[in-house]
Amino acid sequence: MLSIGIDIGSLTTKTVVLNNGRFLASVVSETLDEAEISAQVAMTKALERIDADEDPLRFVVTTGAGAKGVSFSDRSKAITTCLARGIAYCVPEARAVIDIGAESSTVVKTNERGKVLDWANHDKCAAGTGIFLQQMAKLMKLSFEEMSELSETASKGADITGTCAVFAESEVISHVHRVPPTPMPEIILGIYLSVSSRIKTMCKRIGANEKIALSGGVALHKGLVRTLEKEIGQPLFVPDDPVCVAALGAAVLAGEEIQKETAQ
Amino acid sequence: MYDHQNKHNSQPRYTPLKTLEVFKAVNRSFPHTDEINHIHDQGGKVFGWLCTYVPEEILHAAGILPVRITGYDRETDLDDGNAYLYMNNCSFSRSCLQMGLTKEYAFLDGVVGGSTCDGARRLFDLWRQYIGTPFHHVLTVPRKYTENAHSLYLAEVEMFKTHLEDHLEIKITDEELMGSIELYNQTRSLLRELYNHRKKPNPPISGSEVMEVLDACFRMPKESFNHHLKKLLQELDGSQNAYSGRARLMLSGSVLANPDFISSIEQQGGLVVADELCTSTRYWGDMVEVQPGEPPLKALARRYLNNYPCARMFPSEERFRRIIETAREFKVDGVISEIIRYCVPYSHDLPLLTKRLADINIPVLSIDLEYGSSGSGQIATRVQAFLEMIEAKK
């Protein structure tokens, strides 16, 4: 029986398929207007990848923003629970995970069994999330790779203190148009620092202070990861596939449910 | 859709409580209830009060029907409220003001409040200025429990009584006060009985249903409220209803009057069994105990200042002690703190309270919201995560 985890995020939908705890496939697809269709498309793609039947024996756990609206889901779980299980699967030594997604950021403190001890999230504002970084990249007409590279040459970060994405954006614009303009690398480092300080505060709030892993699409943004590590004062574990950690956790939970059902 | 998911919420043995319909009907029709219409037809008076530090018995002893000002118990547009009150006043005060300005409190013959927090004070400043209810009174409420504080508050209560007597051209006798105290104490002990039902492993009444009862309690004459509450208690004694949930929860915070908010938590599988709110335990928590030979006014003042404290009181110890006591008494697994945005006293106390509860292994979920919220998707997500965390710890 396949255990399938589907994480329906605000930009992308992630699917992970496990069989008896063994990893089979993961697929990232675009989130469409309706959660139901996004999840259906994502699952079909994943099943195609492993050449499974169209409708195999399966247990589906959904999570993320649209999790509740999926009719073929067997259970929906909170993103925090999924992150904890997912990170325990791919980075067993981690005791906390920072997840920076497109529109939210979350820090989860976990124990060795992948159970949630505490969590903090920030989902009221886009500052400190992937969309914010994307917006900034667009504003400066740079790719993420160029941003990462340029930030390395900065000696200090520009002041970006706005705690709101819109205000922060206007701060960046005023740095660009200043006479003389603030050097690009400094602005980029400033952006990274503003995101990092938000995350750091959340870690502090729940006492996540060691063995921290990083997940979500933003974990692929090298410059930001480097800045975040410096701010937090320790290296972060970045799994091979940071984007799919929550979906992986959902699949692990699906596996647990299958075990529970067979035990009964 | 996916029934097997919702097995926590299914309440197969549930039969509707008949008496609850009476309370719901009052809440739906307020302020145009039969009882309020009748009082006005007979030339009687209805006063609004705001804040649990207003001794309601004095109004009752003066022959007035006291009703609580709760603003809109739904999240609504606050155009006028926002125009007059600055945004950093809580949405509760803006909601009450909105209703006042749109003449929805025009049926009131008087308003009484306490100078308990800035939100309430600014609301009253504006109420006096723009709404023009015939009688206004604001009691100064000390923040401490010292002897001086008690004598100051007693003087305030006496002043309030005199002001009311002068306005109505009557005298409130000690006998009348004693009668009102007795009636209100009866309400308190009946509510305690209601809450005792919630201590059961599978309570016969849900948290949102209890909120309907409490809302009606603020809007009905206590005589008829007590009568109906007795009937409800009889119904509960014989009821086969048994609610179950994924975790027993307690609500903590200031004013909450929207049963739908509690429903939204219960729909996630949380069993709301206890609370520490202005609109619940803090309202009915303590009895007025009149010592032999003591003037009833003194006993009233003592009870109201010593009551289950608001976060404004100092030191906070007493409130924390009572919260922990309540949490243990009702065997709660977690506390949901609801803080109306920009409510200073409650938000400043929260880190200390969270620490205290963490020490006895009770996690706290903190939700900040606008007054009247029915629970958004975002709140549901947080509650879900909270419940899953509690379940994992069990």
Side-chain angles (χ1 to χ4, degrees), chain A residues 68 73-78 80-81 115-119 121 123-124, chain B residues 1-2 4-5 268 365 368 378 382 384-386 388-389 392-393:
Chain A
K68 289 255 157 130
S73 155
D74 294 294
R75 189 117 338 156
S76 80
K77 287 280 181 185
T80 46
T81 310
K115 302 258 163 119
V116 178
L117 296 179
D118 203 352
W119 89 93
N121 57 359
D123 51 10
K124 290 198 196 72
Chain B
M1 197 156 47
Y2 34 94
H4 53 293
Q5 269 201 10
Q268 298 296 318
L365 170 68
D368 61 332
Q378 200 181 73
R382 286 177 185 215
Q384 189 195 9
F386 188 59
E388 282 177 19
M389 183 178 80
K393 277 184 183 173

PDB file of all heavy atoms in Angstrom, chain A residues 68 73-78 80-81 115-119 121 123-124, chain B residues 1-2 4-5 268 365 368 378 382 384-386 388-389 392-393:
ATOM      1  N   LYS A  68      -7.748  20.983   3.298  1.00  0.00           N
ATOM      2  CA  LYS A  68      -9.073  20.515   3.715  1.00  0.00           C
ATOM      3  C   LYS A  68     -10.026  20.298   2.552  1.00  0.00           C
ATOM      4  O   LYS A  68     -11.031  19.636   2.684  1.00  0.00           O
ATOM      5  CB  LYS A  68      -9.684  21.513   4.696  1.00  0.00           C
ATOM      6  CG  LYS A  68      -8.997  21.490   6.040  1.00  0.00           C
ATOM      7  CD  LYS A  68      -9.844  20.796   7.077  1.00  0.00           C
ATOM      8  CE  LYS A  68      -8.967  20.285   8.195  1.00  0.00           C
ATOM      9  NZ  LYS A  68      -9.413  20.643   9.509  1.00  0.00           N
ATOM     10  N   SER A  73      -8.634  12.897  -0.094  1.00  0.00           N
ATOM     11  CA  SER A  73      -7.680  12.845   1.006  1.00  0.00           C
ATOM     12  C   SER A  73      -8.251  11.974   2.129  1.00  0.00           C
ATOM     13  O   SER A  73      -9.428  12.058   2.454  1.00  0.00           O
ATOM     14  CB  SER A  73      -7.439  14.265   1.510  1.00  0.00           C
ATOM     15  OG  SER A  73      -7.032  14.254   2.846  1.00  0.00           O
ATOM     16  N   ASP A  74      -7.404  11.129   2.718  1.00  0.00           N
ATOM     17  CA  ASP A  74      -7.875  10.284   3.812  1.00  0.00           C
ATOM     18  C   ASP A  74      -7.743  10.984   5.147  1.00  0.00           C
ATOM     19  O   ASP A  74      -8.411  10.657   6.105  1.00  0.00           O
ATOM     20  CB  ASP A  74      -7.083   8.973   3.840  1.00  0.00           C
ATOM     21  CG  ASP A  74      -7.360   8.151   2.601  1.00  0.00           C
ATOM     22  OD1 ASP A  74      -8.508   7.702   2.459  1.00  0.00           O
ATOM     23  OD2 ASP A  74      -6.454   7.990   1.756  1.00  0.00           O
ATOM     24  N   ARG A  75      -6.842  11.944   5.204  1.00  0.00           N
ATOM     25  CA  ARG A  75      -6.659  12.682   6.451  1.00  0.00           C
ATOM     26  C   ARG A  75      -5.950  13.982   6.120  1.00  0.00           C
ATOM     27  O   ARG A  75      -5.114  14.025   5.219  1.00  0.00           O
ATOM     28  CB  ARG A  75      -5.796  11.844   7.404  1.00  0.00           C
ATOM     29  CG  ARG A  75      -5.711  12.379   8.773  1.00  0.00           C
ATOM     30  CD  ARG A  75      -6.283  11.493   9.856  1.00  0.00           C
ATOM     31  NE  ARG A  75      -7.254  10.486   9.472  1.00  0.00           N
ATOM     32  CZ  ARG A  75      -7.481   9.387  10.162  1.00  0.00           C
ATOM     33  NH1 ARG A  75      -6.787   9.134  11.231  1.00  0.00           N
ATOM     34  NH2 ARG A  75      -8.397   8.532   9.789  1.00  0.00           N
ATOM     35  N   SER A  76      -6.282  15.061   6.829  1.00  0.00           N
ATOM     36  CA  SER A  76      -5.477  16.263   6.640  1.00  0.00           C
ATOM     37  C   SER A  76      -4.763  16.574   7.945  1.00  0.00           C
ATOM     38  O   SER A  76      -5.310  16.380   9.022  1.00  0.00           O
ATOM     39  CB  SER A  76      -6.353  17.427   6.182  1.00  0.00           C
ATOM     40  OG  SER A  76      -7.016  17.992   7.266  1.00  0.00           O
ATOM     41  N   LYS A  77      -3.513  17.010   7.842  1.00  0.00           N
ATOM     42  CA  LYS A  77      -2.701  17.239   9.031  1.00  0.00           C
ATOM     43  C   LYS A  77      -2.131  18.646   8.996  1.00  0.00           C
ATOM     44  O   LYS A  77      -1.917  19.212   7.922  1.00  0.00           O
ATOM     45  CB  LYS A  77      -1.539  16.227   9.056  1.00  0.00           C
ATOM     46  CG  LYS A  77      -1.979  14.815   9.408  1.00  0.00           C
ATOM     47  CD  LYS A  77      -2.157  14.672  10.904  1.00  0.00           C
ATOM     48  CE  LYS A  77      -2.577  13.256  11.282  1.00  0.00           C
ATOM     49  NZ  LYS A  77      -2.854  13.163  12.716  1.00  0.00           N
ATOM     50  N   ALA A  78      -1.859  19.177  10.166  1.00  0.00           N
ATOM     51  CA  ALA A  78      -1.283  20.518  10.235  1.00  0.00           C
ATOM     52  C   ALA A  78       0.130  20.493   9.659  1.00  0.00           C
ATOM     53  O   ALA A  78       0.852  19.496   9.789  1.00  0.00           O
ATOM     54  CB  ALA A  78      -1.252  21.002  11.674  1.00  0.00           C
ATOM     55  N   THR A  80       2.732  21.898  10.682  1.00  0.00           N
ATOM     56  CA  THR A  80       3.770  21.748  11.716  1.00  0.00           C
ATOM     57  C   THR A  80       4.057  20.277  11.981  1.00  0.00           C
ATOM     58  O   THR A  80       5.216  19.870  12.067  1.00  0.00           O
ATOM     59  CB  THR A  80       3.319  22.419  13.025  1.00  0.00           C
ATOM     60  OG1 THR A  80       1.969  22.029  13.283  1.00  0.00           O
ATOM     61  CG2 THR A  80       3.378  23.921  12.923  1.00  0.00           C
ATOM     62  N   THR A  81       2.991  19.475  12.102  1.00  0.00           N
ATOM     63  CA  THR A  81       3.156  18.046  12.352  1.00  0.00           C
ATOM     64  C   THR A  81       3.924  17.403  11.194  1.00  0.00           C
ATOM     65  O   THR A  81       4.819  16.581  11.404  1.00  0.00           O
ATOM     66  CB  THR A  81       1.771  17.376  12.490  1.00  0.00           C
ATOM     67  OG1 THR A  81       1.000  18.127  13.418  1.00  0.00           O
ATOM     68  CG2 THR A  81       1.880  15.948  12.964  1.00  0.00           C
ATOM     69  N   LYS A 115       8.151  14.409  16.809  1.00  0.00           N
ATOM     70  CA  LYS A 115       6.914  14.968  17.361  1.00  0.00           C
ATOM     71  C   LYS A 115       7.118  16.464  17.611  1.00  0.00           C
ATOM     72  O   LYS A 115       8.213  16.891  17.975  1.00  0.00           O
ATOM     73  CB  LYS A 115       6.577  14.268  18.689  1.00  0.00           C
ATOM     74  CG  LYS A 115       6.415  12.763  18.552  1.00  0.00           C
ATOM     75  CD  LYS A 115       4.963  12.355  18.523  1.00  0.00           C
ATOM     76  CE  LYS A 115       4.781  10.959  17.990  1.00  0.00           C
ATOM     77  NZ  LYS A 115       4.176  10.022  18.902  1.00  0.00           N
ATOM     78  N   VAL A 116       6.042  17.220  17.459  1.00  0.00           N
ATOM     79  CA  VAL A 116       6.125  18.672  17.652  1.00  0.00           C
ATOM     80  C   VAL A 116       6.185  18.990  19.143  1.00  0.00           C
ATOM     81  O   VAL A 116       5.340  18.540  19.909  1.00  0.00           O
ATOM     82  CB  VAL A 116       4.889  19.367  17.050  1.00  0.00           C
ATOM     83  CG1 VAL A 116       4.946  20.873  17.286  1.00  0.00           C
ATOM     84  CG2 VAL A 116       4.777  19.065  15.567  1.00  0.00           C
ATOM     85  N   LEU A 117       7.179  19.763  19.564  1.00  0.00           N
ATOM     86  CA  LEU A 117       7.230  20.205  20.954  1.00  0.00           C
ATOM     87  C   LEU A 117       6.646  21.598  21.073  1.00  0.00           C
ATOM     88  O   LEU A 117       5.979  21.935  22.044  1.00  0.00           O
ATOM     89  CB  LEU A 117       8.669  20.192  21.467  1.00  0.00           C
ATOM     90  CG  LEU A 117       9.332  18.816  21.524  1.00  0.00           C
ATOM     91  CD1 LEU A 117      10.760  18.937  22.024  1.00  0.00           C
ATOM     92  CD2 LEU A 117       8.540  17.868  22.424  1.00  0.00           C
ATOM     93  N   ASP A 118       6.909  22.419  20.077  1.00  0.00           N
ATOM     94  CA  ASP A 118       6.373  23.781  20.075  1.00  0.00           C
ATOM     95  C   ASP A 118       6.579  24.342  18.676  1.00  0.00           C
ATOM     96  O   ASP A 118       7.358  23.790  17.908  1.00  0.00           O
ATOM     97  CB  ASP A 118       7.118  24.643  21.104  1.00  0.00           C
ATOM     98  CG  ASP A 118       6.271  25.837  21.553  1.00  0.00           C
ATOM     99  OD1 ASP A 118       5.193  26.063  20.962  1.00  0.00           O
ATOM    100  OD2 ASP A 118       6.693  26.550  22.486  1.00  0.00           O
ATOM    101  N   TRP A 119       5.872  25.426  18.373  1.00  0.00           N
ATOM    102  CA  TRP A 119       6.108  26.015  17.062  1.00  0.00           C
ATOM    103  C   TRP A 119       5.750  27.493  17.094  1.00  0.00           C
ATOM    104  O   TRP A 119       5.067  27.961  17.997  1.00  0.00           O
ATOM    105  CB  TRP A 119       5.302  25.291  15.988  1.00  0.00           C
ATOM    106  CG  TRP A 119       3.927  25.840  15.766  1.00  0.00           C
ATOM    107  CD1 TRP A 119       3.566  26.773  14.856  1.00  0.00           C
ATOM    108  CD2 TRP A 119       2.728  25.517  16.485  1.00  0.00           C
ATOM    109  NE1 TRP A 119       2.221  27.036  14.956  1.00  0.00           N
ATOM    110  CE2 TRP A 119       1.680  26.295  15.943  1.00  0.00           C
ATOM    111  CE3 TRP A 119       2.433  24.652  17.539  1.00  0.00           C
ATOM    112  CZ2 TRP A 119       0.371  26.229  16.419  1.00  0.00           C
ATOM    113  CZ3 TRP A 119       1.133  24.585  18.006  1.00  0.00           C
ATOM    114  CH2 TRP A 119       0.123  25.370  17.448  1.00  0.00           C
ATOM    115  N   ASN A 121       4.756  30.610  14.099  1.00  0.00           N
ATOM    116  CA  ASN A 121       4.671  30.904  12.672  1.00  0.00           C
ATOM    117  C   ASN A 121       4.346  32.361  12.414  1.00  0.00           C
ATOM    118  O   ASN A 121       3.903  33.092  13.284  1.00  0.00           O
ATOM    119  CB  ASN A 121       3.727  29.968  11.929  1.00  0.00           C
ATOM    120  CG  ASN A 121       2.336  29.988  12.496  1.00  0.00           C
ATOM    121  OD1 ASN A 121       2.065  30.693  13.460  1.00  0.00           O
ATOM    122  ND2 ASN A 121       1.453  29.229  11.917  1.00  0.00           N
ATOM    123  N   ASP A 123       2.423  34.251   9.457  1.00  0.00           N
ATOM    124  CA  ASP A 123       1.726  34.116   8.188  1.00  0.00           C
ATOM    125  C   ASP A 123       0.789  35.290   7.950  1.00  0.00           C
ATOM    126  O   ASP A 123      -0.137  35.223   7.174  1.00  0.00           O
ATOM    127  CB  ASP A 123       0.957  32.791   8.127  1.00  0.00           C
ATOM    128  CG  ASP A 123       0.088  32.585   9.349  1.00  0.00           C
ATOM    129  OD1 ASP A 123      -0.059  33.547  10.126  1.00  0.00           O
ATOM    130  OD2 ASP A 123      -0.440  31.492   9.526  1.00  0.00           O
ATOM    131  N   LYS A 124       1.022  36.370   8.673  1.00  0.00           N
ATOM    132  CA  LYS A 124       0.121  37.501   8.506  1.00  0.00           C
ATOM    133  C   LYS A 124       0.658  38.463   7.465  1.00  0.00           C
ATOM    134  O   LYS A 124      -0.025  39.335   6.993  1.00  0.00           O
ATOM    135  CB  LYS A 124      -0.039  38.237   9.832  1.00  0.00           C
ATOM    136  CG  LYS A 124      -0.809  37.422  10.805  1.00  0.00           C
ATOM    137  CD  LYS A 124      -1.342  38.303  11.909  1.00  0.00           C
ATOM    138  CE  LYS A 124      -1.773  37.457  13.062  1.00  0.00           C
ATOM    139  NZ  LYS A 124      -0.626  36.884  13.796  1.00  0.00           N
TER     140      LYS A 124
ATOM    141  N   MET B   1     -18.166  14.749   3.291  1.00  0.00           N
ATOM    142  CA  MET B   1     -17.203  14.496   2.240  1.00  0.00           C
ATOM    143  C   MET B   1     -16.264  13.358   2.666  1.00  0.00           C
ATOM    144  O   MET B   1     -16.228  12.299   2.080  1.00  0.00           O
ATOM    145  CB  MET B   1     -16.453  15.766   1.923  1.00  0.00           C
ATOM    146  CG  MET B   1     -15.730  15.714   0.604  1.00  0.00           C
ATOM    147  SD  MET B   1     -15.436  17.348  -0.104  1.00  0.00           S
ATOM    148  CE  MET B   1     -14.787  18.300   1.256  1.00  0.00           C
ATOM    149  N   TYR B   2     -15.501  13.630   3.732  1.00  0.00           N
ATOM    150  CA  TYR B   2     -14.615  12.558   4.217  1.00  0.00           C
ATOM    151  C   TYR B   2     -14.963  12.316   5.680  1.00  0.00           C
ATOM    152  O   TYR B   2     -14.294  12.760   6.592  1.00  0.00           O
ATOM    153  CB  TYR B   2     -13.137  12.902   4.046  1.00  0.00           C
ATOM    154  CG  TYR B   2     -12.797  14.342   4.203  1.00  0.00           C
ATOM    155  CD1 TYR B   2     -12.375  14.835   5.437  1.00  0.00           C
ATOM    156  CD2 TYR B   2     -12.908  15.220   3.124  1.00  0.00           C
ATOM    157  CE1 TYR B   2     -12.064  16.179   5.580  1.00  0.00           C
ATOM    158  CE2 TYR B   2     -12.598  16.554   3.274  1.00  0.00           C
ATOM    159  CZ  TYR B   2     -12.176  17.028   4.488  1.00  0.00           C
ATOM    160  OH  TYR B   2     -11.855  18.341   4.633  1.00  0.00           O
ATOM    161  N   HIS B   4     -14.824   9.804   7.652  1.00  0.00           N
ATOM    162  CA  HIS B   4     -13.912   9.113   8.563  1.00  0.00           C
ATOM    163  C   HIS B   4     -12.930  10.067   9.225  1.00  0.00           C
ATOM    164  O   HIS B   4     -12.372   9.779  10.253  1.00  0.00           O
ATOM    165  CB  HIS B   4     -13.164   8.017   7.803  1.00  0.00           C
ATOM    166  CG  HIS B   4     -12.488   8.540   6.578  1.00  0.00           C
ATOM    167  ND1 HIS B   4     -13.194   9.010   5.506  1.00  0.00           N
ATOM    168  CD2 HIS B   4     -11.184   8.696   6.265  1.00  0.00           C
ATOM    169  CE1 HIS B   4     -12.337   9.421   4.567  1.00  0.00           C
ATOM    170  NE2 HIS B   4     -11.128   9.233   5.005  1.00  0.00           N
ATOM    171  N   GLN B   5     -12.753  11.239   8.604  1.00  0.00           N
ATOM    172  CA  GLN B   5     -11.849  12.231   9.199  1.00  0.00           C
ATOM    173  C   GLN B   5     -12.463  12.908  10.399  1.00  0.00           C
ATOM    174  O   GLN B   5     -11.785  13.387  11.272  1.00  0.00           O
ATOM    175  CB  GLN B   5     -11.556  13.323   8.179  1.00  0.00           C
ATOM    176  CG  GLN B   5     -10.356  13.021   7.378  1.00  0.00           C
ATOM    177  CD  GLN B   5      -9.798  14.269   6.773  1.00  0.00           C
ATOM    178  OE1 GLN B   5     -10.208  15.374   7.094  1.00  0.00           O
ATOM    179  NE2 GLN B   5      -8.856  14.100   5.907  1.00  0.00           N
ATOM    180  N   GLN B 268     -12.873  21.687  15.003  1.00  0.00           N
ATOM    181  CA  GLN B 268     -11.570  21.063  14.771  1.00  0.00           C
ATOM    182  C   GLN B 268     -11.362  19.861  15.688  1.00  0.00           C
ATOM    183  O   GLN B 268     -10.329  19.215  15.638  1.00  0.00           O
ATOM    184  CB  GLN B 268     -10.442  22.066  15.020  1.00  0.00           C
ATOM    185  CG  GLN B 268     -10.452  23.271  14.105  1.00  0.00           C
ATOM    186  CD  GLN B 268     -10.229  22.876  12.673  1.00  0.00           C
ATOM    187  OE1 GLN B 268      -9.391  22.042  12.368  1.00  0.00           O
ATOM    188  NE2 GLN B 268     -11.022  23.436  11.767  1.00  0.00           N
ATOM    189  N   LEU B 365      -1.894  28.202  23.149  1.00  0.00           N
ATOM    190  CA  LEU B 365      -1.953  28.697  21.776  1.00  0.00           C
ATOM    191  C   LEU B 365      -2.452  30.126  21.849  1.00  0.00           C
ATOM    192  O   LEU B 365      -3.507  30.394  22.409  1.00  0.00           O
ATOM    193  CB  LEU B 365      -2.928  27.871  20.936  1.00  0.00           C
ATOM    194  CG  LEU B 365      -3.238  28.447  19.543  1.00  0.00           C
ATOM    195  CD1 LEU B 365      -2.031  28.381  18.640  1.00  0.00           C
ATOM    196  CD2 LEU B 365      -4.411  27.725  18.902  1.00  0.00           C
ATOM    197  N   ASP B 368      -4.405  36.187  18.173  1.00  0.00           N
ATOM    198  CA  ASP B 368      -4.887  37.560  18.265  1.00  0.00           C
ATOM    199  C   ASP B 368      -5.889  37.795  17.150  1.00  0.00           C
ATOM    200  O   ASP B 368      -5.731  37.326  16.027  1.00  0.00           O
ATOM    201  CB  ASP B 368      -3.762  38.605  18.302  1.00  0.00           C
ATOM    202  CG  ASP B 368      -2.908  38.572  17.055  1.00  0.00           C
ATOM    203  OD1 ASP B 368      -2.819  37.487  16.470  1.00  0.00           O
ATOM    204  OD2 ASP B 368      -2.349  39.614  16.684  1.00  0.00           O
ATOM    205  N   GLN B 378      -7.396  30.776   9.035  1.00  0.00           N
ATOM    206  CA  GLN B 378      -6.072  30.850   9.639  1.00  0.00           C
ATOM    207  C   GLN B 378      -6.117  30.369  11.094  1.00  0.00           C
ATOM    208  O   GLN B 378      -5.237  29.670  11.561  1.00  0.00           O
ATOM    209  CB  GLN B 378      -5.618  32.299   9.586  1.00  0.00           C
ATOM    210  CG  GLN B 378      -4.143  32.485   9.715  1.00  0.00           C
ATOM    211  CD  GLN B 378      -3.827  33.961   9.674  1.00  0.00           C
ATOM    212  OE1 GLN B 378      -4.084  34.678  10.634  1.00  0.00           O
ATOM    213  NE2 GLN B 378      -3.296  34.411   8.569  1.00  0.00           N
ATOM    214  N   ARG B 382      -4.354  27.007  12.948  1.00  0.00           N
ATOM    215  CA  ARG B 382      -3.560  27.033  14.177  1.00  0.00           C
ATOM    216  C   ARG B 382      -4.120  26.086  15.227  1.00  0.00           C
ATOM    217  O   ARG B 382      -3.374  25.419  15.953  1.00  0.00           O
ATOM    218  CB  ARG B 382      -3.522  28.442  14.747  1.00  0.00           C
ATOM    219  CG  ARG B 382      -2.628  29.296  13.927  1.00  0.00           C
ATOM    220  CD  ARG B 382      -2.599  30.708  14.404  1.00  0.00           C
ATOM    221  NE  ARG B 382      -1.790  31.438  13.465  1.00  0.00           N
ATOM    222  CZ  ARG B 382      -1.003  32.435  13.786  1.00  0.00           C
ATOM    223  NH1 ARG B 382      -0.947  32.849  15.025  1.00  0.00           N
ATOM    224  NH2 ARG B 382      -0.294  33.034  12.882  1.00  0.00           N
ATOM    225  N   GLN B 384      -5.798  23.434  14.650  1.00  0.00           N
ATOM    226  CA  GLN B 384      -5.496  22.068  14.203  1.00  0.00           C
ATOM    227  C   GLN B 384      -4.072  21.680  14.613  1.00  0.00           C
ATOM    228  O   GLN B 384      -3.847  20.620  15.184  1.00  0.00           O
ATOM    229  CB  GLN B 384      -5.654  21.984  12.681  1.00  0.00           C
ATOM    230  CG  GLN B 384      -5.568  20.562  12.158  1.00  0.00           C
ATOM    231  CD  GLN B 384      -5.352  20.503  10.653  1.00  0.00           C
ATOM    232  OE1 GLN B 384      -5.101  21.522  10.006  1.00  0.00           O
ATOM    233  NE2 GLN B 384      -5.454  19.320  10.102  1.00  0.00           N
ATOM    234  N   ALA B 385      -3.129  22.584  14.349  1.00  0.00           N
ATOM    235  CA  ALA B 385      -1.733  22.313  14.695  1.00  0.00           C
ATOM    236  C   ALA B 385      -1.585  22.129  16.204  1.00  0.00           C
ATOM    237  O   ALA B 385      -0.853  21.258  16.676  1.00  0.00           O
ATOM    238  CB  ALA B 385      -0.840  23.439  14.206  1.00  0.00           C
ATOM    239  N   PHE B 386      -2.307  22.954  16.964  1.00  0.00           N
ATOM    240  CA  PHE B 386      -2.244  22.903  18.428  1.00  0.00           C
ATOM    241  C   PHE B 386      -2.763  21.553  18.925  1.00  0.00           C
ATOM    242  O   PHE B 386      -2.139  20.905  19.773  1.00  0.00           O
ATOM    243  CB  PHE B 386      -3.078  24.049  18.990  1.00  0.00           C
ATOM    244  CG  PHE B 386      -2.960  24.251  20.474  1.00  0.00           C
ATOM    245  CD1 PHE B 386      -1.741  24.507  21.066  1.00  0.00           C
ATOM    246  CD2 PHE B 386      -4.094  24.211  21.279  1.00  0.00           C
ATOM    247  CE1 PHE B 386      -1.639  24.714  22.431  1.00  0.00           C
ATOM    248  CE2 PHE B 386      -4.011  24.421  22.644  1.00  0.00           C
ATOM    249  CZ  PHE B 386      -2.775  24.668  23.222  1.00  0.00           C
ATOM    250  N   GLU B 388      -2.947  18.768  17.280  1.00  0.00           N
ATOM    251  CA  GLU B 388      -2.032  17.692  16.896  1.00  0.00           C
ATOM    252  C   GLU B 388      -0.830  17.648  17.827  1.00  0.00           C
ATOM    253  O   GLU B 388      -0.346  16.583  18.186  1.00  0.00           O
ATOM    254  CB  GLU B 388      -1.589  17.860  15.433  1.00  0.00           C
ATOM    255  CG  GLU B 388      -2.670  17.401  14.470  1.00  0.00           C
ATOM    256  CD  GLU B 388      -2.311  17.625  13.008  1.00  0.00           C
ATOM    257  OE1 GLU B 388      -1.127  17.804  12.689  1.00  0.00           O
ATOM    258  OE2 GLU B 388      -3.247  17.628  12.172  1.00  0.00           O
ATOM    259  N   MET B 389      -0.367  18.818  18.246  1.00  0.00           N
ATOM    260  CA  MET B 389       0.771  18.859  19.162  1.00  0.00           C
ATOM    261  C   MET B 389       0.385  18.238  20.504  1.00  0.00           C
ATOM    262  O   MET B 389       1.139  17.452  21.073  1.00  0.00           O
ATOM    263  CB  MET B 389       1.246  20.300  19.355  1.00  0.00           C
ATOM    264  CG  MET B 389       2.473  20.400  20.233  1.00  0.00           C
ATOM    265  SD  MET B 389       3.038  22.110  20.398  1.00  0.00           S
ATOM    266  CE  MET B 389       1.914  22.709  21.634  1.00  0.00           C
ATOM    267  N   ALA B 392       0.173  14.516  20.223  1.00  0.00           N
ATOM    268  CA  ALA B 392       1.485  13.877  20.150  1.00  0.00           C
ATOM    269  C   ALA B 392       2.129  13.765  21.523  1.00  0.00           C
ATOM    270  O   ALA B 392       2.913  12.867  21.794  1.00  0.00           O
ATOM    271  CB  ALA B 392       2.395  14.651  19.202  1.00  0.00           C
ATOM    272  N   LYS B 393       1.783  14.697  22.419  1.00  0.00           N
ATOM    273  CA  LYS B 393       2.388  14.690  23.757  1.00  0.00           C
ATOM    274  C   LYS B 393       1.738  13.663  24.674  1.00  0.00           C
ATOM    275  O   LYS B 393       2.313  13.260  25.665  1.00  0.00           O
ATOM    276  CB  LYS B 393       2.230  16.076  24.396  1.00  0.00           C
ATOM    277  CG  LYS B 393       3.292  17.051  23.949  1.00  0.00           C
ATOM    278  CD  LYS B 393       3.132  18.350  24.689  1.00  0.00           C
ATOM    279  CE  LYS B 393       4.141  19.370  24.205  1.00  0.00           C
ATOM    280  NZ  LYS B 393       3.904  20.687  24.787  1.00  0.00           N
TER     281      LYS B 393
END
